[in-house]
Short mmCIF file of all heavy atoms in Angstrom, two decimals:
data_model
loop_
_atom_site.label_atom_id
_atom_site.label_comp_id
_atom_site.label_asym_id
_atom_site.label_seq_id
_atom_site.Cartn_x
_atom_site.Cartn_y
_atom_site.Cartn_z
N MET A 1387 220.35 31.49 155.63
CA MET A 1387 219.24 32.34 156.21
C MET A 1387 219.61 32.76 157.55
O MET A 1387 219.98 31.99 158.48
CB MET A 1387 217.93 31.54 156.12
CG MET A 1387 216.85 32.29 156.88
SD MET A 1387 215.35 31.22 156.88
CE MET A 1387 214.20 32.55 156.89
N SER A 1388 219.49 34.03 157.89
CA SER A 1388 219.77 34.46 159.18
C SER A 1388 218.51 34.67 159.94
O SER A 1388 217.41 34.84 159.40
CB SER A 1388 220.53 35.80 159.18
OG SER A 1388 219.87 36.74 158.59
N PHE A 1389 218.56 34.67 161.33
CA PHE A 1389 217.28 34.70 162.07
C PHE A 1389 217.53 35.80 162.99
O PHE A 1389 218.51 36.28 163.29
CB PHE A 1389 217.20 33.25 162.88
CG PHE A 1389 216.93 32.11 162.06
CD1 PHE A 1389 218.08 31.35 161.79
CD2 PHE A 1389 215.80 31.84 161.40
CE1 PHE A 1389 217.88 30.23 160.94
CE2 PHE A 1389 215.59 30.77 160.67
CZ PHE A 1389 216.72 29.90 160.39
N GLU A 1390 216.35 36.28 163.59
CA GLU A 1390 216.22 37.30 164.46
C GLU A 1390 215.48 36.96 165.78
O GLU A 1390 214.89 35.95 165.75
CB GLU A 1390 215.61 38.56 163.87
CG GLU A 1390 216.35 39.08 162.61
CD GLU A 1390 215.91 40.39 162.13
OE1 GLU A 1390 215.02 41.07 162.91
OE2 GLU A 1390 216.25 40.74 161.05
N GLU A 1391 215.67 37.75 166.87
CA GLU A 1391 214.93 37.43 168.07
C GLU A 1391 213.42 37.34 167.77
O GLU A 1391 212.89 38.10 166.96
CB GLU A 1391 215.20 38.53 169.18
CG GLU A 1391 216.54 38.43 169.57
CD GLU A 1391 216.82 39.43 170.83
OE1 GLU A 1391 215.82 39.66 171.53
OE2 GLU A 1391 217.95 39.81 171.03
N ASP A 1392 212.76 36.39 168.47
CA ASP A 1392 211.31 36.10 168.37
C ASP A 1392 211.03 35.24 167.27
O ASP A 1392 209.82 35.01 166.92
CB ASP A 1392 210.46 37.39 168.41
CG ASP A 1392 210.61 38.07 169.80
OD1 ASP A 1392 210.75 37.41 170.84
OD2 ASP A 1392 210.53 39.26 169.83
N ASP A 1393 211.95 34.91 166.29
CA ASP A 1393 211.64 34.08 165.28
C ASP A 1393 211.31 32.59 165.78
O ASP A 1393 211.95 32.19 166.75
CB ASP A 1393 212.81 33.89 164.20
CG ASP A 1393 212.92 35.13 163.34
OD1 ASP A 1393 211.97 36.07 163.37
OD2 ASP A 1393 213.92 35.28 162.63
N ARG A 1394 210.37 31.92 165.16
CA ARG A 1394 210.14 30.45 165.59
C ARG A 1394 210.97 29.66 164.66
O ARG A 1394 211.02 29.73 163.41
CB ARG A 1394 208.72 30.19 165.32
CG ARG A 1394 207.72 30.99 166.21
CD ARG A 1394 207.42 30.51 167.59
NE ARG A 1394 206.86 29.28 167.65
CZ ARG A 1394 206.90 28.40 168.60
NH1 ARG A 1394 207.60 28.84 169.60
NH2 ARG A 1394 206.31 27.23 168.58
N VAL A 1395 211.74 28.72 165.21
CA VAL A 1395 212.67 27.86 164.49
C VAL A 1395 212.57 26.39 165.05
O VAL A 1395 212.11 26.13 166.05
CB VAL A 1395 214.12 28.31 164.63
CG1 VAL A 1395 214.31 29.60 164.04
CG2 VAL A 1395 214.61 28.35 166.18
N VAL A 1396 213.07 25.51 164.16
CA VAL A 1396 213.18 24.04 164.45
C VAL A 1396 214.60 23.75 164.62
O VAL A 1396 215.42 24.04 163.68
CB VAL A 1396 212.50 23.16 163.42
CG1 VAL A 1396 212.61 21.70 163.67
CG2 VAL A 1396 210.96 23.59 163.22
N LEU A 1397 215.03 23.03 165.71
CA LEU A 1397 216.44 22.78 165.87
C LEU A 1397 216.71 21.26 165.39
O LEU A 1397 215.98 20.37 165.55
CB LEU A 1397 216.74 22.66 167.43
CG LEU A 1397 218.13 22.15 167.85
CD1 LEU A 1397 219.26 23.15 167.25
CD2 LEU A 1397 218.32 22.00 169.28
N ASN A 1398 217.75 21.20 164.57
CA ASN A 1398 218.22 20.00 163.89
C ASN A 1398 219.50 19.68 164.40
O ASN A 1398 220.64 19.98 163.72
CB ASN A 1398 218.15 20.07 162.41
CG ASN A 1398 216.78 20.19 161.92
OD1 ASN A 1398 215.79 19.43 162.20
ND2 ASN A 1398 216.58 21.29 161.11
N ASP A 1399 219.65 19.02 165.58
CA ASP A 1399 220.95 18.62 166.23
C ASP A 1399 220.73 17.30 166.92
O ASP A 1399 220.18 17.25 167.96
CB ASP A 1399 221.40 19.72 167.14
CG ASP A 1399 222.77 19.42 167.78
OD1 ASP A 1399 223.39 18.31 167.53
OD2 ASP A 1399 223.22 20.27 168.48
N LYS A 1400 221.29 16.31 166.35
CA LYS A 1400 221.03 14.94 166.92
C LYS A 1400 221.65 14.80 168.28
O LYS A 1400 221.28 13.83 169.12
CB LYS A 1400 221.45 13.86 165.97
CG LYS A 1400 222.96 13.83 165.80
CD LYS A 1400 223.37 12.66 164.70
CE LYS A 1400 224.97 12.69 164.58
NZ LYS A 1400 225.26 11.64 163.70
N HIS A 1401 222.51 15.63 168.63
CA HIS A 1401 223.18 15.59 169.96
C HIS A 1401 222.38 16.42 171.03
O HIS A 1401 222.84 16.39 172.22
CB HIS A 1401 224.66 16.04 169.87
CG HIS A 1401 225.40 15.26 168.91
ND1 HIS A 1401 225.90 13.90 169.11
CD2 HIS A 1401 225.93 15.60 167.78
CE1 HIS A 1401 226.47 13.62 168.11
NE2 HIS A 1401 226.64 14.62 167.17
N SER A 1402 221.37 17.10 170.67
CA SER A 1402 220.68 17.98 171.52
C SER A 1402 219.43 17.15 172.15
O SER A 1402 218.75 16.43 171.22
CB SER A 1402 220.30 19.20 170.92
OG SER A 1402 219.26 19.91 171.80
N GLU A 1403 219.02 17.40 173.40
CA GLU A 1403 217.71 16.77 173.78
C GLU A 1403 216.44 17.53 173.11
O GLU A 1403 215.39 17.04 173.25
CB GLU A 1403 217.62 16.85 175.37
CG GLU A 1403 217.54 18.33 175.86
CD GLU A 1403 217.47 18.42 177.37
OE1 GLU A 1403 216.44 18.22 177.94
OE2 GLU A 1403 218.47 18.74 177.99
N PHE A 1404 216.71 18.65 172.51
CA PHE A 1404 215.65 19.35 171.87
C PHE A 1404 215.63 19.18 170.30
O PHE A 1404 215.00 19.84 169.53
CB PHE A 1404 215.79 20.93 172.10
CG PHE A 1404 215.82 21.13 173.60
CD1 PHE A 1404 216.97 21.66 174.33
CD2 PHE A 1404 214.62 21.03 174.27
CE1 PHE A 1404 216.88 22.02 175.61
CE2 PHE A 1404 214.46 21.41 175.61
CZ PHE A 1404 215.72 21.84 176.35
N ASP A 1405 216.38 18.20 169.84
CA ASP A 1405 216.42 17.82 168.47
C ASP A 1405 214.94 17.59 167.77
O ASP A 1405 214.20 16.78 168.34
CB ASP A 1405 217.26 16.60 168.09
CG ASP A 1405 217.37 16.26 166.75
OD1 ASP A 1405 217.46 17.17 165.90
OD2 ASP A 1405 217.41 15.03 166.32
N GLY A 1406 214.70 18.35 166.76
CA GLY A 1406 213.39 18.23 166.09
C GLY A 1406 212.26 19.14 166.81
O GLY A 1406 211.14 19.21 166.29
N ASP A 1407 212.57 19.77 167.97
CA ASP A 1407 211.59 20.62 168.63
C ASP A 1407 211.58 22.05 168.07
O ASP A 1407 212.64 22.51 167.45
CB ASP A 1407 212.00 20.75 170.18
CG ASP A 1407 211.78 19.47 170.92
OD1 ASP A 1407 211.07 18.54 170.28
OD2 ASP A 1407 212.14 19.36 171.98
N THR A 1408 210.38 22.66 168.31
CA THR A 1408 210.30 24.07 167.71
C THR A 1408 210.40 25.01 168.93
O THR A 1408 209.87 24.68 169.98
CB THR A 1408 208.85 24.23 167.10
OG1 THR A 1408 208.72 23.41 166.04
CG2 THR A 1408 208.71 25.65 166.63
N GLY A 1409 211.22 26.01 168.74
CA GLY A 1409 211.36 27.01 169.81
C GLY A 1409 211.45 28.42 169.29
O GLY A 1409 211.22 28.62 168.12
N THR A 1410 211.73 29.26 170.13
CA THR A 1410 211.76 30.90 169.85
C THR A 1410 213.14 31.34 170.11
O THR A 1410 213.82 31.08 171.19
CB THR A 1410 210.73 31.66 170.64
OG1 THR A 1410 209.55 30.99 170.43
CG2 THR A 1410 210.84 33.15 170.30
N ILE A 1411 213.76 32.02 169.15
CA ILE A 1411 215.05 32.68 169.41
C ILE A 1411 214.88 33.75 170.35
O ILE A 1411 214.06 34.71 170.23
CB ILE A 1411 215.61 33.15 168.06
CG1 ILE A 1411 215.90 31.97 167.10
CG2 ILE A 1411 216.91 33.99 168.34
CD1 ILE A 1411 216.51 32.31 165.78
N THR A 1412 215.66 33.75 171.47
CA THR A 1412 215.75 34.65 172.45
C THR A 1412 216.82 35.65 172.52
O THR A 1412 216.93 36.78 172.96
CB THR A 1412 215.54 34.04 173.85
OG1 THR A 1412 216.63 33.24 174.00
CG2 THR A 1412 214.16 33.38 173.96
N GLN A 1413 217.97 35.20 171.80
CA GLN A 1413 219.18 35.96 171.75
C GLN A 1413 220.00 35.62 170.57
O GLN A 1413 220.03 34.31 170.12
CB GLN A 1413 220.03 35.76 172.95
CG GLN A 1413 221.31 36.65 173.07
CD GLN A 1413 221.95 36.54 174.47
OE1 GLN A 1413 221.68 35.54 175.16
NE2 GLN A 1413 222.70 37.47 174.82
N THR A 1414 220.65 36.50 169.91
CA THR A 1414 221.68 36.23 168.89
C THR A 1414 222.99 36.72 169.35
O THR A 1414 223.12 37.85 170.03
CB THR A 1414 221.30 36.90 167.49
OG1 THR A 1414 221.24 38.28 167.64
CG2 THR A 1414 219.97 36.44 167.05
N MET A 1415 224.12 36.05 168.98
CA MET A 1415 225.48 36.46 169.40
C MET A 1415 226.38 36.22 168.25
O MET A 1415 226.35 35.32 167.58
CB MET A 1415 225.87 35.63 170.56
CG MET A 1415 224.99 35.65 171.81
SD MET A 1415 224.98 34.31 172.81
CE MET A 1415 223.99 33.09 171.81
N GLU A 1416 227.26 37.36 168.10
CA GLU A 1416 228.24 37.24 166.97
C GLU A 1416 229.57 37.08 167.60
O GLU A 1416 229.99 37.88 168.43
CB GLU A 1416 228.10 38.47 166.18
CG GLU A 1416 229.06 38.38 164.94
CD GLU A 1416 228.88 39.53 163.95
OE1 GLU A 1416 227.78 40.20 163.96
OE2 GLU A 1416 229.77 39.75 163.10
N SER A 1417 230.34 36.14 167.28
CA SER A 1417 231.71 35.84 167.67
C SER A 1417 232.55 36.92 167.01
O SER A 1417 232.32 37.60 166.05
CB SER A 1417 232.22 34.36 167.41
OG SER A 1417 232.58 34.36 166.00
N MET A 1418 233.84 36.97 167.51
CA MET A 1418 234.90 37.88 166.98
C MET A 1418 235.24 37.40 165.55
O MET A 1418 235.83 38.19 164.80
CB MET A 1418 236.10 37.95 167.86
CG MET A 1418 236.84 36.69 168.06
SD MET A 1418 238.17 37.07 169.36
CE MET A 1418 239.07 35.60 169.10
N PHE A 1419 234.83 36.27 165.19
CA PHE A 1419 235.22 35.68 163.69
C PHE A 1419 233.98 35.94 162.90
O PHE A 1419 234.05 35.64 161.66
CB PHE A 1419 235.48 34.29 163.84
CG PHE A 1419 236.70 33.95 164.72
CD1 PHE A 1419 236.45 33.30 165.88
CD2 PHE A 1419 237.93 34.33 164.44
CE1 PHE A 1419 237.57 33.01 166.83
CE2 PHE A 1419 239.00 34.01 165.23
CZ PHE A 1419 238.85 33.28 166.48
N GLY A 1420 232.97 36.54 163.32
CA GLY A 1420 231.77 36.87 162.50
C GLY A 1420 230.78 35.77 162.39
O GLY A 1420 229.74 35.98 161.68
N ASP A 1421 230.89 34.72 163.14
CA ASP A 1421 230.00 33.72 163.18
C ASP A 1421 228.89 34.01 164.14
O ASP A 1421 229.09 34.58 165.24
CB ASP A 1421 230.63 32.36 163.67
CG ASP A 1421 231.67 31.81 162.79
OD1 ASP A 1421 231.52 32.00 161.46
OD2 ASP A 1421 232.65 31.35 163.29
N VAL A 1422 227.61 33.74 163.71
CA VAL A 1422 226.51 34.15 164.57
C VAL A 1422 225.93 32.82 165.20
O VAL A 1422 225.83 31.80 164.58
CB VAL A 1422 225.35 34.82 163.70
CG1 VAL A 1422 224.14 34.96 164.61
CG2 VAL A 1422 225.84 36.04 163.17
N THR A 1423 225.67 32.77 166.48
CA THR A 1423 225.03 31.69 167.21
C THR A 1423 223.73 32.27 167.91
O THR A 1423 223.63 33.44 167.99
CB THR A 1423 226.07 31.01 168.20
OG1 THR A 1423 226.36 31.96 169.13
CG2 THR A 1423 227.16 30.49 167.41
N TYR A 1424 222.88 31.33 168.22
CA TYR A 1424 221.62 31.75 168.67
C TYR A 1424 221.40 30.92 170.02
O TYR A 1424 221.76 29.89 170.25
CB TYR A 1424 220.51 31.37 167.77
CG TYR A 1424 220.67 32.05 166.42
CD1 TYR A 1424 221.49 31.32 165.39
CD2 TYR A 1424 220.20 33.15 166.22
CE1 TYR A 1424 221.61 31.89 164.21
CE2 TYR A 1424 220.35 33.87 164.98
CZ TYR A 1424 221.06 33.18 163.93
OH TYR A 1424 221.27 33.82 162.73
N THR A 1425 220.45 31.69 170.81
CA THR A 1425 219.99 30.97 172.11
C THR A 1425 218.49 30.79 171.73
O THR A 1425 217.69 31.72 171.36
CB THR A 1425 220.00 31.91 173.37
OG1 THR A 1425 221.46 32.16 173.56
CG2 THR A 1425 219.46 31.21 174.51
N VAL A 1426 218.04 29.51 171.88
CA VAL A 1426 216.61 29.21 171.54
C VAL A 1426 215.95 28.72 172.70
O VAL A 1426 216.45 27.83 173.40
CB VAL A 1426 216.49 28.13 170.40
CG1 VAL A 1426 215.14 27.75 170.11
CG2 VAL A 1426 217.28 28.66 169.20
N SER A 1427 214.76 29.26 173.12
CA SER A 1427 213.94 28.79 174.17
C SER A 1427 212.91 27.83 173.79
O SER A 1427 212.20 28.09 172.81
CB SER A 1427 213.32 30.13 174.80
OG SER A 1427 213.08 29.92 176.12
N PHE A 1428 212.77 26.66 174.41
CA PHE A 1428 211.87 25.66 174.18
C PHE A 1428 210.94 25.51 175.28
O PHE A 1428 211.04 26.16 176.35
CB PHE A 1428 212.59 24.30 173.88
CG PHE A 1428 213.57 24.32 172.79
CD1 PHE A 1428 214.85 24.54 172.92
CD2 PHE A 1428 213.06 24.15 171.46
CE1 PHE A 1428 215.80 24.58 171.90
CE2 PHE A 1428 213.92 24.10 170.42
CZ PHE A 1428 215.26 24.39 170.64
N GLU A 1429 209.85 24.72 175.19
CA GLU A 1429 208.84 24.64 176.27
C GLU A 1429 209.52 24.07 177.49
O GLU A 1429 209.08 24.55 178.61
CB GLU A 1429 207.67 23.57 175.70
CG GLU A 1429 206.54 23.58 176.56
CD GLU A 1429 205.40 22.66 176.07
OE1 GLU A 1429 205.10 22.99 174.92
OE2 GLU A 1429 204.98 21.83 176.81
N ASP A 1430 210.45 23.10 177.40
CA ASP A 1430 211.03 22.46 178.53
C ASP A 1430 212.46 23.00 178.91
O ASP A 1430 213.20 22.38 179.61
CB ASP A 1430 211.19 21.00 178.22
CG ASP A 1430 209.74 20.40 178.22
OD1 ASP A 1430 208.81 20.88 178.87
OD2 ASP A 1430 209.52 19.42 177.53
N GLY A 1431 212.90 24.13 178.27
CA GLY A 1431 214.09 24.66 178.60
C GLY A 1431 214.80 25.53 177.48
O GLY A 1431 213.98 25.99 176.58
N GLN A 1432 216.05 25.69 177.48
CA GLN A 1432 216.71 26.45 176.39
C GLN A 1432 218.00 25.78 176.01
O GLN A 1432 218.64 25.08 176.77
CB GLN A 1432 216.83 27.93 176.75
CG GLN A 1432 218.00 28.25 177.77
CD GLN A 1432 218.15 29.73 177.97
OE1 GLN A 1432 217.23 30.58 177.57
NE2 GLN A 1432 219.21 30.03 178.51
N GLU A 1433 218.43 26.14 174.79
CA GLU A 1433 219.80 25.65 174.19
C GLU A 1433 220.55 26.95 173.84
O GLU A 1433 219.94 27.77 173.16
CB GLU A 1433 219.50 24.81 173.10
CG GLU A 1433 220.75 24.11 172.55
CD GLU A 1433 220.91 22.75 173.19
OE1 GLU A 1433 220.19 22.20 173.77
OE2 GLU A 1433 222.14 22.27 173.01
N THR A 1434 221.81 27.02 174.13
CA THR A 1434 222.59 28.22 173.79
C THR A 1434 223.74 27.86 172.86
O THR A 1434 224.15 26.58 172.77
CB THR A 1434 223.23 28.92 174.96
OG1 THR A 1434 224.12 27.95 175.66
CG2 THR A 1434 222.16 29.45 175.95
N GLY A 1435 224.20 28.84 172.04
CA GLY A 1435 225.35 28.52 171.27
C GLY A 1435 225.03 27.73 169.93
O GLY A 1435 225.89 27.13 169.41
N ILE A 1436 223.83 27.84 169.53
CA ILE A 1436 223.40 26.93 168.26
C ILE A 1436 223.78 27.76 166.98
O ILE A 1436 223.40 28.87 166.74
CB ILE A 1436 221.78 26.87 168.35
CG1 ILE A 1436 221.24 26.20 169.62
CG2 ILE A 1436 221.37 26.13 167.10
CD1 ILE A 1436 219.83 26.12 169.82
N PRO A 1437 224.46 27.01 166.11
CA PRO A 1437 224.89 27.61 164.84
C PRO A 1437 223.70 27.71 163.96
O PRO A 1437 222.80 26.94 164.02
CB PRO A 1437 225.98 26.68 164.32
CG PRO A 1437 225.76 25.42 164.99
CD PRO A 1437 225.08 25.74 166.34
N GLU A 1438 223.82 28.69 163.03
CA GLU A 1438 222.64 28.93 162.02
C GLU A 1438 222.43 27.67 161.18
O GLU A 1438 221.20 27.36 160.93
CB GLU A 1438 223.03 30.05 161.12
CG GLU A 1438 221.95 30.46 160.27
CD GLU A 1438 222.39 31.76 159.49
OE1 GLU A 1438 222.92 32.69 159.98
OE2 GLU A 1438 222.06 31.76 158.22
N ASP A 1439 223.38 26.77 160.89
CA ASP A 1439 223.24 25.63 160.19
C ASP A 1439 222.30 24.52 160.77
O ASP A 1439 221.81 23.73 160.20
CB ASP A 1439 224.59 24.95 159.78
CG ASP A 1439 225.49 25.74 158.90
OD1 ASP A 1439 224.77 26.73 158.17
OD2 ASP A 1439 226.64 25.66 158.81
N ASP A 1440 222.20 24.61 162.16
CA ASP A 1440 221.36 23.65 162.85
C ASP A 1440 219.92 24.14 163.03
O ASP A 1440 219.16 23.42 163.69
CB ASP A 1440 222.02 23.42 164.31
CG ASP A 1440 223.23 22.63 164.18
OD1 ASP A 1440 223.68 22.11 163.10
OD2 ASP A 1440 223.80 22.49 165.26
N LEU A 1441 219.50 25.25 162.44
CA LEU A 1441 218.16 25.75 162.60
C LEU A 1441 217.51 25.96 161.17
O LEU A 1441 218.13 26.07 160.13
CB LEU A 1441 218.25 27.17 163.29
CG LEU A 1441 218.84 27.25 164.56
CD1 LEU A 1441 218.95 28.77 164.94
CD2 LEU A 1441 217.97 26.56 165.66
N GLU A 1442 216.16 25.81 161.25
CA GLU A 1442 215.34 25.96 160.06
C GLU A 1442 214.08 26.77 160.53
O GLU A 1442 213.64 26.58 161.73
CB GLU A 1442 215.00 24.82 159.33
CG GLU A 1442 214.06 23.80 160.05
CD GLU A 1442 213.85 22.54 159.27
OE1 GLU A 1442 214.71 21.72 159.10
OE2 GLU A 1442 212.67 22.38 158.87
N ALA A 1443 213.54 27.60 159.60
CA ALA A 1443 212.33 28.37 160.06
C ALA A 1443 211.26 27.36 160.28
O ALA A 1443 211.00 26.37 159.60
CB ALA A 1443 212.04 29.28 158.96
N ALA A 1444 210.48 27.72 161.34
CA ALA A 1444 209.29 26.81 161.64
C ALA A 1444 208.07 27.13 160.80
O ALA A 1444 208.02 28.31 160.24
CB ALA A 1444 208.87 27.03 163.13
N ALA A 1445 207.36 26.13 160.42
CA ALA A 1445 206.10 26.32 159.63
C ALA A 1445 205.13 27.30 160.31
O ALA A 1445 204.95 27.20 161.53
CB ALA A 1445 205.42 25.04 159.34
N GLU A 1446 204.43 28.00 159.52
CA GLU A 1446 203.50 29.00 160.09
C GLU A 1446 202.32 28.08 160.63
O GLU A 1446 201.82 27.21 159.95
CB GLU A 1446 202.96 29.95 159.00
CG GLU A 1446 203.89 30.88 158.49
CD GLU A 1446 204.33 32.00 159.40
OE1 GLU A 1446 203.38 32.45 160.22
OE2 GLU A 1446 205.48 32.35 159.59
N GLU A 1447 201.66 28.53 161.71
CA GLU A 1447 200.59 27.80 162.22
C GLU A 1447 199.26 28.38 161.69
O GLU A 1447 199.29 29.64 161.45
CB GLU A 1447 200.51 28.01 163.74
CG GLU A 1447 201.71 27.34 164.50
CD GLU A 1447 201.67 27.37 165.91
OE1 GLU A 1447 200.82 27.98 166.51
OE2 GLU A 1447 202.55 26.99 166.60
N ASP A 1448 198.31 27.61 161.38
CA ASP A 1448 197.10 28.12 160.85
C ASP A 1448 196.32 28.91 161.86
O ASP A 1448 196.13 28.53 163.00
CB ASP A 1448 196.12 26.92 160.39
CG ASP A 1448 196.75 26.22 159.20
OD1 ASP A 1448 197.53 26.80 158.44
OD2 ASP A 1448 196.37 25.04 159.04
N ALA A 1449 195.84 30.06 161.47
CA ALA A 1449 195.04 31.02 162.29
C ALA A 1449 193.62 31.08 161.75
O ALA A 1449 192.84 31.97 162.03
CB ALA A 1449 195.69 32.36 162.33
N ASP A 1450 193.05 30.10 161.06
CA ASP A 1450 191.82 30.08 160.49
C ASP A 1450 190.79 30.04 161.52
O ASP A 1450 189.57 30.45 161.29
CB ASP A 1450 191.66 28.99 159.52
CG ASP A 1450 192.49 29.11 158.25
OD1 ASP A 1450 192.91 30.28 157.97
OD2 ASP A 1450 192.67 28.16 157.53
N THR A 1451 190.89 29.36 162.67
CA THR A 1451 189.89 29.27 163.72
C THR A 1451 189.31 30.68 164.11
O THR A 1451 188.17 30.81 164.36
CB THR A 1451 190.33 28.51 164.92
OG1 THR A 1451 191.56 29.01 165.41
CG2 THR A 1451 190.54 27.07 164.56
N ASP A 1452 190.19 31.75 164.21
CA ASP A 1452 189.66 33.00 164.62
C ASP A 1452 188.69 33.63 163.65
O ASP A 1452 187.74 34.11 164.00
CB ASP A 1452 190.82 33.98 164.75
CG ASP A 1452 191.58 33.68 166.05
OD1 ASP A 1452 191.05 32.96 166.87
OD2 ASP A 1452 192.90 34.06 166.12
N THR A 1453 189.02 33.46 162.26
CA THR A 1453 188.05 34.03 161.26
C THR A 1453 186.77 33.23 161.16
O THR A 1453 185.75 33.76 160.87
CB THR A 1453 188.75 34.03 159.83
OG1 THR A 1453 189.23 32.85 159.59
CG2 THR A 1453 189.96 35.10 159.91
N ASP A 1454 186.86 31.95 161.40
CA ASP A 1454 185.62 31.13 161.35
C ASP A 1454 184.67 31.41 162.41
O ASP A 1454 183.54 31.47 162.18
CB ASP A 1454 185.99 29.66 161.40
CG ASP A 1454 186.74 29.14 160.20
OD1 ASP A 1454 186.61 29.79 159.11
OD2 ASP A 1454 187.32 28.10 160.20
N THR A 1455 185.20 31.69 163.63
CA THR A 1455 184.23 32.04 164.71
C THR A 1455 183.60 33.40 164.57
O THR A 1455 182.47 33.54 164.95
CB THR A 1455 184.98 31.96 166.12
OG1 THR A 1455 186.09 32.76 165.98
CG2 THR A 1455 185.44 30.51 166.37
N ASP A 1456 184.43 34.33 164.02
CA ASP A 1456 183.83 35.72 163.72
C ASP A 1456 182.58 35.64 162.77
O ASP A 1456 181.60 36.32 162.94
CB ASP A 1456 184.78 36.55 163.14
CG ASP A 1456 185.87 36.90 164.27
OD1 ASP A 1456 185.60 36.68 165.42
OD2 ASP A 1456 186.92 37.44 163.88
N ALA A 1457 182.70 34.74 161.80
CA ALA A 1457 181.66 34.60 160.79
C ALA A 1457 180.37 34.06 161.39
O ALA A 1457 179.23 34.32 160.92
CB ALA A 1457 182.10 33.76 159.53
N ASP A 1458 180.42 33.19 162.27
CA ASP A 1458 179.28 32.56 162.98
C ASP A 1458 178.59 33.43 163.89
O ASP A 1458 177.43 33.17 164.26
CB ASP A 1458 179.78 31.27 163.76
CG ASP A 1458 180.27 30.32 162.83
OD1 ASP A 1458 180.01 30.20 161.63
OD2 ASP A 1458 181.16 29.45 163.37
N THR A 1459 179.13 34.69 164.22
CA THR A 1459 178.36 35.55 165.20
C THR A 1459 177.51 36.53 164.58
O THR A 1459 176.89 37.28 165.21
CB THR A 1459 179.40 36.30 166.10
OG1 THR A 1459 180.30 37.05 165.17
CG2 THR A 1459 180.27 35.29 166.84
N ASP A 1460 177.19 36.48 163.29
CA ASP A 1460 176.42 37.41 162.42
C ASP A 1460 175.01 37.03 162.38
O ASP A 1460 174.28 37.30 161.40
CB ASP A 1460 176.94 37.66 161.06
CG ASP A 1460 178.33 38.44 161.16
OD1 ASP A 1460 178.57 39.03 162.13
OD2 ASP A 1460 179.07 38.30 160.19
N ASN A 1461 174.55 36.31 163.32
CA ASN A 1461 173.07 35.75 163.27
C ASN A 1461 172.16 36.80 163.44
O ASN A 1461 171.74 37.51 164.17
CB ASN A 1461 172.83 34.64 164.21
CG ASN A 1461 173.66 33.47 163.84
OD1 ASN A 1461 174.07 33.33 162.55
ND2 ASN A 1461 173.93 32.50 164.65
#
């Protein structure tokens, strides 16, 4: 699976201080060999040169709270 800028991803790299953290892709780079690496921004910093194999798509966050509060305002 390939990723694009602004995608939310989880890093799986036991050698990284951000292992298991969710971040946002801020840049994609393709090497002269055709390999794509990513720069991912996390809450406490960023990691560059991450191969696609070390990333997985982050789970969607629930947005139900917005629709619930709209229904309560119809009094």
Side-chain angles (χ1 to χ4, degrees):
M1387 168 181 214
S1388 64
F1389 300 100
E1390 297 187 17
E1391 287 185 28
D1392 297 325
D1393 284 352
R1394 302 274 299 156
V1395 293
V1396 176
L1397 177 62
N1398 295 309
D1399 179 0
K1400 65 180 180 178
H1401 301 290
S1402 171
E1403 66 181 282
F1404 301 110
D1405 182 37
D1407 290 351
T1408 300
T1410 303
I1411 293 180
T1412 57
Q1413 185 177 19
T1414 62
M1415 298 149 288
E1416 187 172 340
S1417 73
M1418 63 184 191
F1419 302 109
D1421 298 326
V1422 178
T1423 60
Y1424 301 91
T1425 299
V1426 180
S1427 209
F1428 298 96
E1429 189 174 310
D1430 296 328
Q1432 73 175 12
E1433 186 91 16
T1434 60
I1436 302 171
E1438 189 173 319
D1439 291 344
D1440 289 353
L1441 299 174
E1442 66 181 70
E1446 294 290 325
E1447 295 179 3
D1448 292 337
D1450 291 340
T1451 49
D1452 290 338
T1453 57
D1454 289 344
T1455 55
D1456 290 342
D1458 293 338
T1459 59
D1460 292 337
N1461 292 342

